Amino acid sequence: MQEYYSLVARKSALQSEFSDEELAKNTDYQALVKCIETQRALIDTSVPDLASDTDFVGAVREIEDQSETTDEYDGQSWGTEPE
């Protein structure tokens, strides 16, 4: 699920930076879109509870919340002292 979130975040960043025409012509962007579709299909089959868009968005937001509060370098939450 985190890989899917990462791919969608990358797609969103590209969409904010480039026009629809530029993206439509870019083969790397088209490959990214296909990869996102493949990941979504895998998630839908492996986690049937996320079949609805509402459940899926909730799960993605939960990942987003976790990634905002965890330091990716040492795994410590912001503001906590290492043990």
Side-chain angles (χ1 to χ4, degrees), residues 31-66:
L32 174 65
V33 170
K34 289 192 181 296
C35 189
I36 290 170
E37 291 170 356
T38 300
Q39 285 294 315
R40 176 62 196 252
L42 289 171
I43 291 168
D44 286 347
T45 58
S46 64
V47 187
D49 292 342
L50 299 180
S52 81
D53 286 343
T54 303
D55 293 338
F56 187 79
V57 169
V60 170
R61 285 186 179 152
E62 186 175 314
I63 291 170
E64 183 178 51
D65 291 344
Q66 290 173 0

Short mmCIF file of all heavy atoms in Angstrom, two decimals, residues 31-66:
data_model
loop_
_atom_site.label_atom_id
_atom_site.label_comp_id
_atom_site.label_asym_id
_atom_site.label_seq_id
_atom_site.Cartn_x
_atom_site.Cartn_y
_atom_site.Cartn_z
N ALA A 31 3.94 5.14 -18.24
CA ALA A 31 4.35 3.92 -17.53
C ALA A 31 3.99 4.04 -16.05
O ALA A 31 3.56 3.05 -15.43
CB ALA A 31 5.84 3.69 -17.70
N LEU A 32 4.15 5.22 -15.47
CA LEU A 32 3.77 5.45 -14.08
C LEU A 32 2.28 5.22 -13.87
O LEU A 32 1.87 4.56 -12.92
CB LEU A 32 4.17 6.87 -13.66
CG LEU A 32 3.72 7.32 -12.27
CD1 LEU A 32 4.41 6.50 -11.18
CD2 LEU A 32 4.01 8.81 -12.09
N VAL A 33 1.46 5.74 -14.78
CA VAL A 33 0.01 5.56 -14.69
C VAL A 33 -0.35 4.08 -14.74
O VAL A 33 -1.16 3.59 -13.95
CB VAL A 33 -0.71 6.35 -15.80
CG1 VAL A 33 -2.19 5.99 -15.87
CG2 VAL A 33 -0.53 7.85 -15.58
N LYS A 34 0.29 3.33 -15.63
CA LYS A 34 0.02 1.89 -15.73
C LYS A 34 0.46 1.16 -14.45
O LYS A 34 -0.23 0.26 -13.99
CB LYS A 34 0.71 1.30 -16.95
CG LYS A 34 0.06 1.72 -18.25
CD LYS A 34 0.57 0.88 -19.40
CE LYS A 34 -0.06 1.31 -20.69
NZ LYS A 34 -1.48 1.12 -20.77
N CYS A 35 1.58 1.58 -13.90
CA CYS A 35 2.06 0.98 -12.66
C CYS A 35 1.08 1.25 -11.52
O CYS A 35 0.79 0.35 -10.71
CB CYS A 35 3.44 1.52 -12.34
SG CYS A 35 4.26 0.67 -10.98
N ILE A 36 0.54 2.44 -11.46
CA ILE A 36 -0.45 2.78 -10.44
C ILE A 36 -1.69 1.91 -10.60
O ILE A 36 -2.22 1.39 -9.62
CB ILE A 36 -0.81 4.28 -10.51
CG1 ILE A 36 0.37 5.12 -10.03
CG2 ILE A 36 -2.07 4.59 -9.70
CD1 ILE A 36 0.22 6.61 -10.27
N GLU A 37 -2.15 1.74 -11.83
CA GLU A 37 -3.32 0.90 -12.09
C GLU A 37 -3.07 -0.54 -11.66
O GLU A 37 -3.94 -1.18 -11.07
CB GLU A 37 -3.69 0.97 -13.57
CG GLU A 37 -4.23 2.32 -13.99
CD GLU A 37 -4.37 2.46 -15.50
OE1 GLU A 37 -3.97 1.53 -16.25
OE2 GLU A 37 -4.85 3.52 -15.93
N THR A 38 -1.86 -1.03 -11.94
CA THR A 38 -1.51 -2.40 -11.56
C THR A 38 -1.48 -2.54 -10.04
O THR A 38 -2.01 -3.51 -9.49
CB THR A 38 -0.13 -2.79 -12.15
OG1 THR A 38 -0.21 -2.70 -13.57
CG2 THR A 38 0.28 -4.19 -11.74
N GLN A 39 -0.85 -1.58 -9.36
CA GLN A 39 -0.79 -1.61 -7.90
C GLN A 39 -2.19 -1.57 -7.29
O GLN A 39 -2.48 -2.28 -6.33
CB GLN A 39 0.05 -0.45 -7.36
CG GLN A 39 1.52 -0.61 -7.55
CD GLN A 39 2.06 -1.77 -6.73
OE1 GLN A 39 1.73 -1.92 -5.55
NE2 GLN A 39 2.89 -2.58 -7.34
N ARG A 40 -3.05 -0.73 -7.83
CA ARG A 40 -4.42 -0.61 -7.31
C ARG A 40 -5.16 -1.94 -7.47
O ARG A 40 -5.86 -2.39 -6.57
CB ARG A 40 -5.16 0.53 -8.01
CG ARG A 40 -6.63 0.67 -7.60
CD ARG A 40 -6.77 0.98 -6.12
NE ARG A 40 -8.11 0.75 -5.63
CZ ARG A 40 -8.96 1.71 -5.30
NH1 ARG A 40 -8.61 2.95 -5.39
NH2 ARG A 40 -10.15 1.41 -4.85
N ALA A 41 -4.98 -2.58 -8.62
CA ALA A 41 -5.62 -3.88 -8.86
C ALA A 41 -5.12 -4.92 -7.87
O ALA A 41 -5.90 -5.72 -7.34
CB ALA A 41 -5.39 -4.33 -10.29
N LEU A 42 -3.82 -4.92 -7.60
CA LEU A 42 -3.26 -5.87 -6.62
C LEU A 42 -3.82 -5.62 -5.23
O LEU A 42 -4.15 -6.56 -4.50
CB LEU A 42 -1.73 -5.76 -6.59
CG LEU A 42 -0.99 -6.29 -7.80
CD1 LEU A 42 0.49 -5.91 -7.73
CD2 LEU A 42 -1.15 -7.80 -7.89
N ILE A 43 -3.94 -4.36 -4.87
CA ILE A 43 -4.49 -4.02 -3.55
C ILE A 43 -5.95 -4.44 -3.47
O ILE A 43 -6.39 -5.01 -2.47
CB ILE A 43 -4.33 -2.51 -3.27
CG1 ILE A 43 -2.85 -2.19 -3.06
CG2 ILE A 43 -5.15 -2.09 -2.06
CD1 ILE A 43 -2.54 -0.71 -3.06
N ASP A 44 -6.71 -4.18 -4.53
CA ASP A 44 -8.12 -4.55 -4.54
C ASP A 44 -8.33 -6.05 -4.36
O ASP A 44 -9.27 -6.47 -3.68
CB ASP A 44 -8.79 -4.09 -5.83
CG ASP A 44 -9.02 -2.59 -5.88
OD1 ASP A 44 -8.90 -1.92 -4.83
OD2 ASP A 44 -9.33 -2.07 -6.97
N THR A 45 -7.44 -6.86 -4.95
CA THR A 45 -7.61 -8.31 -4.82
C THR A 45 -7.05 -8.85 -3.51
O THR A 45 -7.57 -9.82 -2.98
CB THR A 45 -6.94 -9.05 -6.00
OG1 THR A 45 -5.56 -8.72 -6.05
CG2 THR A 45 -7.60 -8.71 -7.31
N SER A 46 -6.00 -8.22 -3.00
CA SER A 46 -5.39 -8.75 -1.77
C SER A 46 -6.04 -8.23 -0.50
O SER A 46 -5.94 -8.84 0.55
CB SER A 46 -3.89 -8.46 -1.75
OG SER A 46 -3.65 -7.07 -1.69
N VAL A 47 -6.69 -7.08 -0.59
CA VAL A 47 -7.35 -6.50 0.57
C VAL A 47 -8.78 -6.14 0.16
O VAL A 47 -9.08 -4.99 -0.14
CB VAL A 47 -6.60 -5.25 1.09
CG1 VAL A 47 -7.20 -4.76 2.39
CG2 VAL A 47 -5.12 -5.52 1.23
N PRO A 48 -9.67 -7.13 0.14
CA PRO A 48 -11.02 -6.88 -0.37
C PRO A 48 -11.80 -5.84 0.43
O PRO A 48 -12.73 -5.24 -0.10
CB PRO A 48 -11.70 -8.25 -0.30
CG PRO A 48 -10.84 -9.09 0.55
CD PRO A 48 -9.47 -8.49 0.56
N ASP A 49 -11.43 -5.59 1.67
CA ASP A 49 -12.14 -4.59 2.46
C ASP A 49 -11.94 -3.18 1.91
O ASP A 49 -12.66 -2.26 2.27
CB ASP A 49 -11.66 -4.62 3.92
CG ASP A 49 -12.06 -5.89 4.64
OD1 ASP A 49 -12.98 -6.58 4.15
OD2 ASP A 49 -11.45 -6.18 5.68
N LEU A 50 -10.94 -3.01 1.05
CA LEU A 50 -10.67 -1.69 0.49
C LEU A 50 -11.24 -1.53 -0.91
O LEU A 50 -10.83 -0.67 -1.66
CB LEU A 50 -9.16 -1.43 0.45
CG LEU A 50 -8.45 -1.44 1.79
CD1 LEU A 50 -6.97 -1.18 1.60
CD2 LEU A 50 -9.04 -0.39 2.72
N ALA A 51 -12.21 -2.35 -1.25
CA ALA A 51 -12.78 -2.30 -2.59
C ALA A 51 -13.50 -0.99 -2.87
O ALA A 51 -13.48 -0.49 -3.98
CB ALA A 51 -13.72 -3.48 -2.81
N SER A 52 -14.10 -0.42 -1.84
CA SER A 52 -14.77 0.86 -2.07
C SER A 52 -13.76 1.98 -2.04
O SER A 52 -12.76 1.92 -1.33
CB SER A 52 -15.86 1.10 -1.03
OG SER A 52 -15.31 1.59 0.17
N ASP A 53 -14.03 3.01 -2.82
CA ASP A 53 -13.11 4.15 -2.87
C ASP A 53 -12.99 4.83 -1.51
O ASP A 53 -11.92 5.28 -1.13
CB ASP A 53 -13.57 5.17 -3.91
CG ASP A 53 -13.30 4.70 -5.33
OD1 ASP A 53 -12.50 3.77 -5.50
OD2 ASP A 53 -13.91 5.26 -6.26
N THR A 54 -14.07 4.88 -0.75
CA THR A 54 -14.04 5.53 0.56
C THR A 54 -13.10 4.81 1.50
O THR A 54 -12.27 5.44 2.18
CB THR A 54 -15.46 5.58 1.17
OG1 THR A 54 -16.33 6.25 0.25
CG2 THR A 54 -15.46 6.28 2.50
N ASP A 55 -13.18 3.49 1.56
CA ASP A 55 -12.29 2.71 2.41
C ASP A 55 -10.84 2.86 1.95
O ASP A 55 -9.93 2.98 2.76
CB ASP A 55 -12.67 1.23 2.39
CG ASP A 55 -14.01 0.96 3.06
OD1 ASP A 55 -14.44 1.81 3.88
OD2 ASP A 55 -14.60 -0.09 2.77
N PHE A 56 -10.65 2.85 0.65
CA PHE A 56 -9.30 2.95 0.11
C PHE A 56 -8.68 4.30 0.45
O PHE A 56 -7.54 4.38 0.90
CB PHE A 56 -9.33 2.73 -1.40
CG PHE A 56 -7.96 2.67 -1.99
CD1 PHE A 56 -7.22 1.50 -1.90
CD2 PHE A 56 -7.41 3.76 -2.62
CE1 PHE A 56 -5.95 1.43 -2.44
CE2 PHE A 56 -6.15 3.69 -3.16
CZ PHE A 56 -5.41 2.52 -3.06
N VAL A 57 -9.42 5.37 0.24
CA VAL A 57 -8.91 6.71 0.55
C VAL A 57 -8.59 6.82 2.03
O VAL A 57 -7.58 7.39 2.43
CB VAL A 57 -9.92 7.79 0.10
CG1 VAL A 57 -9.54 9.16 0.66
CG2 VAL A 57 -9.99 7.85 -1.41
N GLY A 58 -9.44 6.24 2.89
CA GLY A 58 -9.17 6.26 4.32
C GLY A 58 -7.87 5.56 4.66
O GLY A 58 -7.08 6.04 5.48
N ALA A 59 -7.61 4.43 4.02
CA ALA A 59 -6.37 3.69 4.28
C ALA A 59 -5.16 4.49 3.79
O ALA A 59 -4.13 4.54 4.47
CB ALA A 59 -6.42 2.33 3.59
N VAL A 60 -5.27 5.13 2.65
CA VAL A 60 -4.16 5.94 2.13
C VAL A 60 -3.91 7.13 3.05
O VAL A 60 -2.77 7.46 3.35
CB VAL A 60 -4.44 6.39 0.68
CG1 VAL A 60 -3.43 7.43 0.22
CG2 VAL A 60 -4.44 5.19 -0.26
N ARG A 61 -4.97 7.75 3.53
CA ARG A 61 -4.79 8.88 4.44
C ARG A 61 -4.13 8.44 5.74
O ARG A 61 -3.34 9.18 6.33
CB ARG A 61 -6.14 9.54 4.73
CG ARG A 61 -6.61 10.36 3.58
CD ARG A 61 -7.86 11.13 3.89
NE ARG A 61 -8.25 11.93 2.75
CZ ARG A 61 -9.47 12.28 2.48
NH1 ARG A 61 -10.45 11.94 3.29
NH2 ARG A 61 -9.74 12.99 1.42
N GLU A 62 -4.43 7.24 6.19
CA GLU A 62 -3.79 6.72 7.39
C GLU A 62 -2.29 6.56 7.17
O GLU A 62 -1.49 6.92 8.04
CB GLU A 62 -4.41 5.37 7.77
CG GLU A 62 -3.92 4.83 9.07
CD GLU A 62 -4.66 3.56 9.45
OE1 GLU A 62 -5.88 3.53 9.36
OE2 GLU A 62 -3.97 2.60 9.85
N ILE A 63 -1.90 6.08 6.01
CA ILE A 63 -0.48 5.97 5.67
C ILE A 63 0.14 7.35 5.63
O ILE A 63 1.23 7.58 6.15
CB ILE A 63 -0.28 5.25 4.33
CG1 ILE A 63 -0.67 3.78 4.45
CG2 ILE A 63 1.16 5.38 3.84
CD1 ILE A 63 -0.73 3.05 3.14
N GLU A 64 -0.56 8.29 5.02
CA GLU A 64 -0.05 9.66 4.93
C GLU A 64 0.17 10.24 6.32
O GLU A 64 1.19 10.86 6.59
CB GLU A 64 -1.03 10.52 4.14
CG GLU A 64 -0.56 11.94 3.94
CD GLU A 64 -1.57 12.73 3.12
OE1 GLU A 64 -2.76 12.73 3.46
OE2 GLU A 64 -1.13 13.35 2.14
N ASP A 65 -0.79 10.04 7.22
CA ASP A 65 -0.65 10.55 8.58
C ASP A 65 0.56 9.93 9.27
O ASP A 65 1.31 10.61 9.97
CB ASP A 65 -1.91 10.27 9.41
CG ASP A 65 -3.10 11.09 8.95
OD1 ASP A 65 -2.90 12.10 8.21
OD2 ASP A 65 -4.24 10.73 9.31
N GLN A 66 0.78 8.64 9.08
CA GLN A 66 1.92 7.96 9.69
C GLN A 66 3.22 8.47 9.12
O GLN A 66 4.19 8.67 9.84
CB GLN A 66 1.81 6.45 9.48
CG GLN A 66 0.71 5.81 10.27
CD GLN A 66 0.54 4.35 9.90
OE1 GLN A 66 1.24 3.81 9.06
NE2 GLN A 66 -0.43 3.70 10.53
#
